[in-house]
Amino acid sequence: MQTPSNIEYMILGYAATGIIMALTIAYFILKARRLRQEAELLKRLEDDQEG
Amino acid sequence: MATVSAVSEGSRPPADLLRVEYPAWRTRLLLGLSVVTFLSMFVMLYMVFFYAGTDAVQGHAQRLFYVHVSSYAGGSVAFFVTVIAGIAYLVTRNIKWDQLAVSSVEVGLPLMTVCLVTGSTWARPIWNTWWTADPRLNGMAIMWLLYAAYLVLRGAIEDPDRRARFAAIYGILAFASVVYVFLIPRVRDDTLHPVVIGPSAANPMAEGGFEVRTDARIGATMGVAMTWWCVAAVVLLWHRVRLENTARRLEALKAHFLAKQG
């Protein structure tokens, strides 16, 4: 029996896995960044009021 | 949980406003676990691509099973945490359990997406189709939609207590779909999907199985991949929970700020 040549599907599957996991981690990082930006805005508003 | 008093400490940099204090050993453990998980990924990939060998019948496409089965295991761990957190919330009414529940769904859903995508990619060369109306495949699609709907529906409920109560009950009930997907090829004999680990129904229709129990290299690689994906799910969940704690702290700071305005 000849082993089928289907390496392109393996590459496609692992590339898709990498992209999905990278997007997941990027979502976490972007969410953390947004929280920091909101905190910064909050502090600026507070400083403006106190100043 | 951190207090909101830090908002009036004008000299602190903005990022510090969101800092939630954790015991140092926990932070070190999370950091260490994250590094170990990242580095051990290369060990797993080495085993998948070089140690396990190429399946004589399925060729290289069979290597997709190491991520397909394992990501399902990792996703199942995350969704099981949703169940535990849901029960804990209904018993204690402590919002931290709701935060754990939503975090675990946000971790489990991408892992199940990996499972769906790699399964479909494997099916194309082995079954000659990307998708077919099989009980397990359809069950998997329904499960994915159920958990995606969990996130959408949560966002539609304004009241935090009502949202947490709804999410807890929904999260517990939705886990039935995870159990269904796991069990279906083990109890029905008319599914195309093979059972890779554990006993299966005497199923003459299943196509694409391989010898995970009799080939030591395949078994070891599958074991390492399963462990890696489950640990990766826990590490991601831990980071996501910390993010959720920070988000709650920001909400408290906003409420404090608005109260001062009023």
Side-chain angles (χ1 to χ4, degrees), chain B residues 61-230:
Chain B
Q62 180 269 340
R63 294 187 212 278
L64 285 166
F65 253 100
Y66 298 116
V67 65
H68 174 68
V69 178
S70 309
S71 58
Y72 177 81
S76 300
V77 167
F79 289 156
F80 186 65
V81 171
T82 311
V83 174
I84 300 296
I87 294 169
Y89 176 78
L90 292 174
V91 172
T92 65
R93 301 288 164 153
N94 186 330
I95 202 73
K96 76 174 183 184
W97 294 113
D98 181 54
Q99 293 171 16
L100 177 62
V102 67
S103 300
S104 55
V105 171
E106 281 198 11
V107 168
L109 199 58
L111 296 184
M112 290 304 188
T113 309
V114 166
C115 178
L116 266 176
V117 170
T118 51
S120 181
T121 314
W122 170 86
R124 180 65 185 86
I126 304 302
W127 291 346
N128 201 30
T129 180
W130 295 99
W131 193 269
T132 185
D134 182 83
R136 180 175 246 194
L137 272 64
N138 289 346
M140 185 73 193
I142 290 167
M143 178 188 72
W144 192 93
L145 290 169
L146 277 173
Y147 281 99
Y150 171 99
L151 295 175
V152 173
L153 292 170
R154 267 188 74 95
I157 302 173
E158 200 68 38
D159 177 47
D161 290 333
R162 206 165 143 239
R163 180 174 58 212
R165 203 166 57 244
F166 163 80
I169 295 166
Y170 188 109
I172 294 165
L173 295 178
F175 194 73
S177 64
V178 180
V179 177
Y180 171 85
V181 169
F182 177 79
L183 286 180
I184 199 72
R186 289 170 171 80
V187 295
R188 275 179 68 161
D189 59 3
D190 61 343
T191 64
L192 197 57
H193 198 290
V195 173
V196 177
I197 298 167
S200 63
N203 184 357
M205 282 180 67
E207 281 183 33
F210 56 92
E211 296 301 319
V212 74
R213 279 161 288 182
T214 54
D215 187 308
R217 287 187 168 217
I218 288 178
T221 306
M222 186 60 87
V224 168
M226 293 272 280
T227 307
W228 188 87
W229 280 92
C230 289

Side-chain angles (χ1 to χ4, degrees), chain A residues 36 39-40, chain B residues 12-19:
Chain A
R36 268 200 300 274
E40 199 170 338
Chain B
R12 299 177 79 181
D16 270 14
L17 289 175
L18 296 180
R19 185 166 295 161

